[in-house]
Amino acid sequence: MPAKKARGATTTATPVTHPSQIPPSIHSASDHEDDQNDRKEPDDPLVAECDVYITPRLAGTQTYVLKFSNSNQQDTYNRENGTAPQSMRIKPKNNYLEMEVPVNTSAYFNKTRSLKWGRALVNSNEEGPNPFGIASGFFPNRGSMRRLTTSAPDQGGAGTTTEQSVEDLVENFEEEAKHGKALTKRTLGGQILPRAHSNLTYALGSFRGSQLHFTTVDGTVPMLPQYYHVDALALSDRIEVGRGREAAEPSRREPRAVQMSYKSTEQDGHGISITDRQLNAIQEEVWSNLNHHDESSGESWNLFDKGFHVEDVTKAQLLASAKTKEQYLDAMNSVQQL
């Protein structure tokens, strides 16, 4: 795809003689009216021009804008702030993206809760990262469920952590965190909204001298906190309650009345509800790991130069509008009337 160039429009500012410098003999009523209009609507002339270029897509690349609505602009996740992402992953078929960023454990940090949540996640994450939430079909995979059911504290696994054992582990918090048994990171993620499914088209602009280079965005992602650790702890507690009931009550089988009910759901041709089919597809897709390069790294700067700028602007073709001025005005007018 060749690079394209848009024609820039320019109006050059010129000195205007103030009315007080004009001899009174050549003043007129029209001059006075023009002066009044100038005071109501001061001139705002264009004083510069720039050539606009549409950058071609690099082969095998996708450009996404990650929206961190719960973070301040100063809280950038980078190496300088000590919050560079530890891992990133994507489900390209079902359009989900997640990243994990470290948490400062030296101030305002609850180590007791960190150990509880971390050890609960150990039981559910061994077969894959974060088997909870919509990105995993709203339910842990069977392997994690089976492990949680059969695991016990005295079998070498994380098992159930009592209040007393957690307090004892706080003294060795650094060692527990080193082995991944304490929650010392945040998970942020969301569903990718592709450009094809949106009424808006985003573009990233970058200036190079008097040139403005636009790169089309393939999609946007709302990066919201994911509370998988809360789900893991709740599931672990429910399983422990079930274990206690099984131990307290002898196993016995008694006839029990069963009431059949029928619930109408939208189904596909195979008798499976559309929602269940979509959730199954999300759960079955395996996460693909991504490499993260810090914004100050050489790899990031090289990609920025190659992917967000037209290398040879002399070969750029002049853009031609697909609409006439009248068609454009009609289209804008119809949008305003909606």
Side-chain angles (χ1 to χ4, degrees):
M1 172 182 176
K4 297 184 179 180
K5 171 183 175 183
R7 187 186 302 275
T10 303
T11 302
T12 305
T14 57
V16 179
T17 305
H18 195 273
S20 62
Q21 300 176 351
I22 302 176
S25 58
I26 62 174
H27 272 289
S28 63
S30 60
D31 293 334
H32 181 70
E33 293 176 358
D34 292 338
D35 184 54
Q36 294 293 330
N37 294 331
D38 291 342
R39 292 179 182 177
K40 294 179 181 179
E41 299 180 3
D43 290 338
D44 188 16
L46 298 175
V47 296
E49 69 174 356
C50 65
D51 293 330
V52 179
Y53 297 89
I54 307 298
T55 61
R57 180 190 301 275
L58 289 178
T61 63
Q62 296 285 323
T63 303
Y64 298 118
V65 172
L66 310 185
K67 298 182 177 181
F68 299 92
S69 57
N70 292 350
S71 302
N72 297 325
Q73 188 174 2
Q74 296 80 7
D75 299 335
T76 305
Y77 297 109
N78 56 20
R79 187 186 307 161
E80 182 180 358
N81 293 335
T83 56
Q86 296 175 337
S87 63
M88 296 189 71
R89 50 185 173 265
I90 188 174
K91 288 191 175 183
K93 293 182 180 179
N94 292 283
N95 296 323
Y96 284 95
L97 179 70
E98 287 186 351
M99 61 185 287
E100 294 178 342
V101 295
V103 176
N104 182 9
T105 61
S106 60
Y108 308 107
F109 186 78
N110 192 319
K111 295 182 179 180
T112 302
R113 291 186 179 180
S114 173
L115 287 167
K116 285 185 178 180
W117 289 329
R119 294 174 74 85
L121 282 171
V122 166
N123 290 324
S124 58
N125 283 1
E126 291 181 1
E127 287 193 0
N130 297 337
F132 298 97
I134 188 174
S136 294
F138 278 127
F139 199 76
N141 55 53
R142 292 171 181 163
S144 299
M145 188 70 177
R146 181 172 59 253
R147 222 174 15 259
L148 280 169
T149 306
T150 58
S151 174
D154 56 353
Q155 293 177 344
T160 303
T161 306
T162 63
E163 294 291 339
Q164 183 61 37
S165 62
V166 169
E167 294 299 332
D168 295 339
L169 292 173
V170 169
E171 298 180 0
N172 299 322
F173 178 80
E174 287 72 17
E175 190 68 20
E176 294 293 314
K178 186 184 300 183
H179 291 84
K181 296 181 181 180
L183 183 63
T184 58
K185 58 189 177 182
R186 296 175 60 200
T187 302
L188 305 173
Q191 186 173 17
I192 302 171
L193 180 61
R195 182 184 60 174
H197 299 168
S198 174
N199 294 328
L200 301 176
T201 299
Y202 291 91
L204 303 177
S206 174
F207 278 99
R208 177 180 282 178
S210 60
Q211 302 169 355
L212 176 58
H213 297 250
F214 277 125
T215 303
T216 303
V217 174
D218 296 300
T220 59
V221 191
M223 303 297 287
L224 302 175
Q226 305 297 314
Y227 300 101
Y228 301 134
H229 53 285
V230 178
D231 295 335
L233 184 60
L235 178 61
S236 180
D237 290 342
R238 288 199 301 269
I239 292 177
E240 285 306 313
V241 171
R243 287 178 186 164
R245 290 177 179 174
E246 291 178 359
E249 299 177 1
S251 177
R252 55 186 180 182
R253 297 182 180 180
E254 297 179 354
R256 101 177 26 171
V258 178
Q259 181 178 0
M260 303 296 293
S261 62
Y262 174 80
K263 182 183 293 185
S264 177
T265 59
E266 184 180 2
Q267 297 181 345
D268 59 10
H270 301 283
I272 304 175
S273 68
I274 303 299
T275 301
D276 289 342
R277 187 174 183 179
Q278 292 175 345
L279 292 178
N280 288 336
I282 295 173
Q283 183 180 5
E284 292 174 359
E285 184 179 4
V286 180
W287 286 103
S288 299
N289 294 325
L290 302 174
N291 294 325
H292 174 267
H293 300 286
D294 192 72
E295 60 184 7
S296 60
S297 64
E299 292 86 351
S300 295
W301 282 108
N302 290 335
L303 180 61
F304 176 72
D305 291 334
K306 294 180 180 179
F308 293 85
H309 300 93
V310 176
E311 293 186 8
D312 189 359
V313 297
T314 60
K315 297 181 180 179
Q317 300 177 1
L318 190 64
L319 288 174
S321 177
K323 295 181 179 180
T324 64
K325 294 181 180 180
E326 291 75 13
Q327 291 174 338
Y328 178 78
L329 293 176
D330 291 341
M332 294 298 296
N333 186 41
S334 61
V335 171
Q336 294 177 0
Q337 293 177 357
L338 293 178

